[in-house]
């Protein structure tokens, strides 16, 4: 059951948090997630009426909203590991190498975003109105850096599934998604491991890694869930 939940929630949560766009930068991370949960249910219900005839409409809506809220470049650079790090960029000595680094980051960010949206938007309609609870932040929570917002999703088992959204303010002061942890499984690390494996597969050719990138398939996510369940 955990494997099924992991795959479904990965779809729901990435797009779900993306619906939290707000023009009020004073809204805190807890409110962002709580408001998003309600809005997401509306979007899913509306899509049921047209998605069979016009699936591109749904994908485009998800893309438009996610572009506004998810910090794809920071997320993608984390997935790239050292190949997307500031330290690696600063170690480069030629302008040509630095220009290539910037190009790699931009192209991988686009491929990473496209993969997430195209793959996981398909899973959104599998969410069937489970009870969802967003837990309040501690009164003394430090909002100066990254903040984890916990969410409980109730399913067939007595104990709820726990999801932790990692959010951080961007340069404009808006809270944006940086990572998601589902039942202890860090999705950022799963993708980082996938990127590292691809680097080895293509003998360090980052161009080939980017050109052949695909979002981790269900088999990879389910294997990660199985490994976690055995611990």
């Amino acid at each position: 059951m955990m494997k099924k939940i992991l795959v479904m929630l990965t779809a729901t949560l990435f797009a779900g948090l993306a619906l939290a766009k707000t023009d009020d930068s004073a809204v805190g991370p807890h409110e962002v997630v709580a408001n998003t949960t309600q809005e997401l249910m509306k979007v899913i219900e509306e899509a049921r009426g047209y998605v069979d005839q016009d699936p591109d409409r749904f994908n485009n809506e998800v893309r438009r909203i996610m572009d506004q809220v998810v910090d794809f470049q920071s997320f993608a650079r984390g997935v790239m590991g050292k190949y997307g790090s500031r330290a690696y960029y600063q170690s480069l000595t030629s302008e040509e190498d630095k220009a290539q680094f910037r190009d790699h980051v931009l192209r991988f960010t686009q491929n990473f975003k496209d993969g997430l949206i195209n793959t996981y938007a398909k899973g959104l309609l599998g969410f069937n109105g489970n009870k969802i609870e967003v837990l309040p932040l501690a009164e003394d929570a430090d909002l100066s850096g990254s903040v984890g917002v916990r969410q409980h999703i109730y399913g067939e088992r007595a104990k709820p599934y726990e999801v932790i959204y990692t959010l951080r303010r961007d340069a404009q002061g808006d809270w944006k998604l940086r990572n998601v942890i589902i039942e202890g499984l860090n999705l950022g690390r799963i993708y980082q491991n996938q990127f590292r494996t691809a680097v080895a597969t293509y003998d360090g050719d980052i161009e080939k890694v980017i050109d052949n990138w695909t979002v981790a398939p269900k088999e990879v996510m389910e294997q990660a869930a199985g490994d976690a369940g055995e611990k």
Side-chain angles (χ1 to χ4, degrees):
M1 181 63 182
M2 180 180 174
K3 295 179 181 181
K4 179 180 178 181
I5 286 290
L6 174 65
V7 174
M8 183 190 75
L9 291 186
T10 302
T12 303
L13 297 172
F14 269 115
L17 190 59
L19 294 168
K21 176 62 178 175
T22 174
D23 294 326
D24 183 0
S25 61
V27 173
H30 173 271
E31 290 76 17
V32 166
V33 176
N35 294 342
T36 293
T37 300
Q38 296 180 1
E39 184 67 20
L40 176 60
M41 297 303 104
K42 296 178 182 178
V43 170
I44 292 175
E45 286 306 312
E46 290 176 0
R48 295 188 199 281
Y50 67 76
V51 70
D52 289 340
Q53 291 73 33
D54 192 3
D56 288 342
R57 173 184 167 187
F58 182 55
N59 285 353
N60 289 337
E61 180 68 8
V62 172
R63 178 182 297 276
R64 179 184 65 79
I65 299 171
M66 290 184 77
D67 275 340
Q68 295 175 337
V69 176
V70 180
D71 189 345
F72 279 110
Q73 186 164 118
S74 292
F75 204 150
R77 289 183 68 170
V79 170
M80 294 175 75
K82 78 169 188 177
Y83 297 101
S85 70
R86 178 179 300 180
Y88 185 71
Y89 178 78
Q90 293 176 340
S91 73
L92 301 175
T93 57
S94 72
E95 287 303 316
E96 181 180 0
D97 287 342
K98 290 182 177 180
Q100 184 181 58
F101 174 96
R102 293 191 294 269
D103 178 67
H104 284 168
V105 169
L106 291 175
R107 290 203 300 115
F108 180 70
T109 297
Q110 188 62 50
N111 285 3
F112 182 67
K113 179 178 72 174
D114 289 345
L116 285 177
I117 293 172
N118 294 335
T119 298
Y120 293 127
K122 298 175 183 177
L124 283 170
L125 297 178
F127 195 78
N128 294 313
N130 303 60
K131 177 184 174 182
I132 300 176
E133 178 184 18
V134 181
L135 305 184
L137 297 177
E139 292 184 2
D140 60 348
D142 183 2
L143 302 182
S144 63
S146 295
V147 177
V149 178
R150 295 177 183 272
Q151 184 180 70
H152 285 173
I153 299 180
Y154 295 83
E156 297 177 359
R157 70 181 192 182
K159 181 180 178 181
Y161 296 93
E162 183 173 78
V163 179
I164 302 175
Y165 295 96
T166 301
L167 297 90
R168 188 182 182 92
R169 289 188 186 275
D170 64 7
Q172 288 71 46
D174 296 322
W175 289 99
K176 293 201 174 185
L177 174 68
R178 295 293 188 93
N179 196 13
V180 180
I181 300 174
I182 304 174
E183 287 288 284
L185 294 176
N186 187 316
L187 299 188
R189 290 181 182 174
I190 290 175
Y191 291 125
Q192 190 177 68
N193 289 339
Q194 182 186 351
F195 190 93
R196 186 183 301 114
T197 298
V199 171
T201 298
Y202 294 110
D203 297 322
D205 190 332
I206 304 302
E207 294 280 347
K208 290 184 178 179
V209 173
I210 296 172
D211 290 340
N212 292 280
W213 176 265
T214 58
V215 170
K218 287 185 177 181
E219 290 77 8
V220 174
M221 305 301 290
E222 290 179 349
Q223 180 61 51
D227 292 344
E230 294 172 359
K231 293 180 180 179

